[in-house]
Amino acid sequence: MSYNQYPGYGQQGYGAPPPGGPPQHYPPQGYPPQQQGGYYPPPAGGQPPYGAPPPPQSPYGAPPPGQGQYGAPPPPHQGYPPHQQQQQGGYYPAPAVQPPYGAPGAPPPPSPYGAPPPPSPYGAPPPSSPYGPPPGQYGAPPPQPPPPQHYGPPTPPTLGYGPPQTIQWNADHDAQALHRAMKGFGTNEQLLIDVLHNKDPLQIEALKPAYFRVNGKKTLEGAIRDETGSYFQKGLVAIVQGPLLHDCHLLYDAMHGAGTNEDVLNDVLLGRSNADIHAIKAKFQQVFNRSLEEMIKDDLSMKTERHFLIVLGATRAEDSAPIIPQEIDRDVDALYDATEGMVGTDEMKVCSILSLRNDNQIRAIAHTYERKYSRRLDDCIRKVSLLYALLLLLPVILFHLNANSLEKEFSGHMKDALLAQLRHAADKYMHAAALLEDSMAGLGTKDHLLVSRVIRYHWDPQMLANVKGAYKQRYNQSLYKRIKGETSGDYRRLMLACVGE
């Protein structure tokens, strides 16, 4: 199912002209304009303690703050400047033109001892350039290539994934309350919920040693495991572990033993910043004394294994990387050639593009693909058009009746992972809302997924507010009411406290 048909409140779809004005014209490549607002307004009185809210999740192409439309720097003139023109925040600057030796302002000739030989007196080029003058000495410098896709300042780690921090907050009062809730006979479950549900990752890290000083025998996680049970316990443990450590435990449990929980791998690893991936790998190695890459290799196989190894390589374009129209067009053509434009599928080409581009670039790719080929990229990932495949494979069918070529382009875990990457980039709030609904839809509740997803989104109040707004818009009921109908007891009270009314 595609999610970009659900823009945020007050948003317009692509191409809609502004009310009362002439038709709107897009930038040179026709990417959709920046859209205003999200699913839920930020809280009054300033920004949440997690930094600025994420850029608006318009279907394709909302630029990050501080940049021009769609991530590219604003051009000084109409159109895009030639490559050799130096730009700010875009292409790499052209090298300085070096005048030949002997010209006014030129550097002195090289020393004859240990340095390259001087130019030939007969005007021949130096030995390092046997086929002509070196670039930049005679005439204009050569055109500069576009910057690599990872160009741009690094994206900072999510709160809880960066280096340890000391905060100005006294955890002793809450530590004593937790000790009272669990000491003696019985447990005050409501007090545990009241104390833990609204703490941020840095407060949790301060609360754990404070509790151990009060208790003197048990860690906070150990006490919770002794005093609670079932999914209420899992939710509290997820909070106490903090987002980074809990991600590592989720990954280990998903791959340890028989079978693989593919949904957990997708939830934890896909769409993450390079900084978060590096933090997860380092913490996983520290906790389990085993590299995450090795465990992925042992548990996955073939192309799905290679897909996740690309993700774990942490070479994704940073969020600040601009959208370069030539790069977008090249990726769109490569995706077409790897799927609909060939017999069979080059799955690794698709995996590589969706795993190495940032969200803004993927939105631009999806929009350009649909505009150029009149077909949505997520539909292409799901399956090949039957009519197209019949026409394309007609000679093969006549001679071999190869029915397998008419099946889906992708299947199983790889298809789910690629769609997750695409949908997260298109609208991460709506994608999160769909994941929450998926954990409750059908017969029975996938409680392990509901717990991990609710706790993951609750760490960032602004993210959670937008997810609740997206859920309300799509499913026409509040996330609070939906969870209330699927859970019970202390487990229900914890989930509802984390979600908030």
Side-chain angles (χ1 to χ4, degrees):
M1 181 176 293
S2 175
Y3 299 103
N4 48 17
Q5 58 181 310
Y6 304 100
Y9 295 137
Q11 297 182 4
Q12 296 180 357
Y14 312 137
Q24 186 170 358
H25 297 285
Y26 295 140
Q29 289 297 316
Y31 301 142
Q34 179 179 0
Q35 305 201 23
Q36 302 298 323
Y39 292 98
Y40 203 84
Q47 298 294 341
Y50 304 94
Q57 291 293 315
S58 62
Y60 298 121
Q67 293 188 356
Q69 285 277 4
Y70 317 110
H77 304 290
Q78 292 295 327
Y80 289 88
H83 286 175
Q84 64 267 24
Q85 179 176 351
Q86 180 175 351
Q87 303 183 42
Q88 298 297 325
Y91 302 103
Y92 291 126
V97 176
Q98 182 72 260
Y101 293 118
S111 169
Y113 305 102
S120 168
Y122 304 102
S128 59
S129 184
Y131 300 107
Q137 282 201 358
Y138 311 106
Q144 297 301 304
Q149 289 282 359
H150 61 270
Y151 173 82
T155 304
T158 307
L159 190 69
Y161 292 81
Q165 301 181 38
T166 301
I167 59 174
Q168 299 300 317
W169 179 69
N170 190 338
D172 291 343
H173 176 74
D174 285 329
Q176 293 169 359
L178 292 172
H179 181 62
R180 291 196 307 271
M182 293 183 284
K183 75 175 181 178
F185 181 76
T187 303
N188 188 337
E189 290 86 358
Q190 187 60 53
L191 183 55
L192 293 178
I193 295 172
D194 292 341
V195 173
L196 292 174
H197 82 277
N198 58 356
K199 298 296 182 291
D200 67 34
L202 301 184
Q203 290 174 322
I204 289 294
E205 290 306 309
L207 185 57
K208 289 190 283 188
Y211 178 84
F212 188 77
R213 289 194 300 268
V214 173
N215 183 280
K217 296 179 180 180
K218 295 181 180 179
T219 64
L220 180 54
E221 180 179 340
I224 287 175
R225 289 186 182 276
D226 289 344
E227 297 292 330
T228 61
S230 190
Y231 289 104
F232 177 57
Q233 178 196 95
K234 292 182 182 298
L236 292 176
V237 168
I239 294 175
V240 168
Q241 287 178 340
L244 176 57
L245 180 59
H246 186 56
D247 276 351
C248 294
H249 279 280
L250 285 174
L251 291 171
Y252 183 83
D253 293 341
M255 294 181 285
H256 183 67
T260 305
N261 192 324
E262 299 161 350
D263 291 326
V264 170
L265 297 185
N266 295 349
D267 284 359
V268 175
L269 295 177
L270 300 182
R272 304 300 292 267
S273 68
N274 296 332
D276 286 2
I277 291 292
H278 283 305
I280 291 171
K281 292 196 298 182
K283 191 68 172 180
F284 192 94
Q285 177 75 49
Q286 175 190 344
V287 174
F288 300 106
N289 197 27
R290 185 179 183 187
S291 80
L292 183 55
E293 291 93 339
E294 290 178 359
M295 201 158 184
I296 288 286
K297 290 178 183 178
D298 290 344
D299 214 64
L300 302 181
S301 61
M302 301 177 66
K303 294 180 179 179
T304 305
E305 171 195 323
R306 292 167 60 192
H307 182 190
F308 275 83
L309 290 179
I310 294 174
V311 173
L312 291 179
T315 54
R316 191 181 189 218
E318 302 293 350
D319 290 346
S320 58
I323 292 179
I324 302 173
Q326 298 91 331
E327 296 288 341
I328 298 299
D329 289 337
R330 184 156 49 245
D331 285 342
V332 166
D333 292 339
L335 287 171
Y336 179 81
D337 293 340
T339 54
E340 297 180 291
M342 66 179 294
V343 178
T345 309
D346 185 354
E347 293 94 343
M348 295 317 303
K349 173 64 71 174
V350 182
C351 294
S352 177
I353 291 175
L354 294 185
S355 300
L356 299 181
R357 307 296 182 256
N358 66 28
D359 288 351
N360 287 335
Q361 292 167 349
I362 294 175
R363 282 195 294 273
I365 288 169
H367 175 74
T368 304
Y369 191 97
E370 182 179 1
R371 184 192 61 188
K372 187 171 184 178
Y373 295 111
S374 300
R375 183 176 176 83
R376 304 183 69 85
L377 184 55
D378 54 353
D379 290 338
C380 175
I381 290 175
R382 285 197 196 96
K383 59 184 178 180
V384 171
S385 166
L386 180 60
L387 177 59
Y388 180 87
L390 285 170
L391 294 175
L392 185 64
L393 299 177
L394 185 58
V396 179
I397 294 172
L398 291 175
F399 287 98
H400 303 287
L401 292 177
N402 186 2
N404 291 333
S405 298
L406 304 181
E407 293 180 355
K408 296 179 180 179
E409 286 279 356
F410 303 91
S411 60
H413 188 192
M414 178 177 285
K415 181 193 72 174
D416 294 338
L418 290 172
L419 289 175
Q421 289 174 306
L422 181 59
R423 290 166 177 171
H424 176 272
D427 188 338
K428 67 179 180 181
Y429 303 133
M430 191 62 75
H431 178 56
L435 290 178
L436 288 166
E437 173 61 22
D438 178 69
S439 65
M440 297 180 282
L443 296 176
T445 302
K446 305 179 187 72
D447 296 284
H448 64 289
L449 290 177
L450 180 61
V451 169
S452 65
R453 288 166 179 172
V454 166
I455 300 303
R456 177 174 295 111
Y457 303 138
H458 107 286
W459 292 118
D460 185 344
Q462 186 63 31
M463 171 74 175
L464 179 60
N466 278 284
V467 171
K468 294 192 312 187
Y471 190 94
K472 175 72 173 178
Q473 179 173 328
R474 180 168 184 186
Y475 300 105
N476 199 31
Q477 66 173 319
S478 71
L479 180 60
Y480 185 96
K481 183 179 293 186
R482 183 74 168 99
I483 292 176
K484 186 176 182 180
E486 290 290 325
T487 55
S488 61
D490 297 326
Y491 169 37
R492 169 197 284 171
R493 296 207 303 268
L494 176 62
M495 292 294 98
L496 294 182
C498 290
V499 167
E501 181 65 52

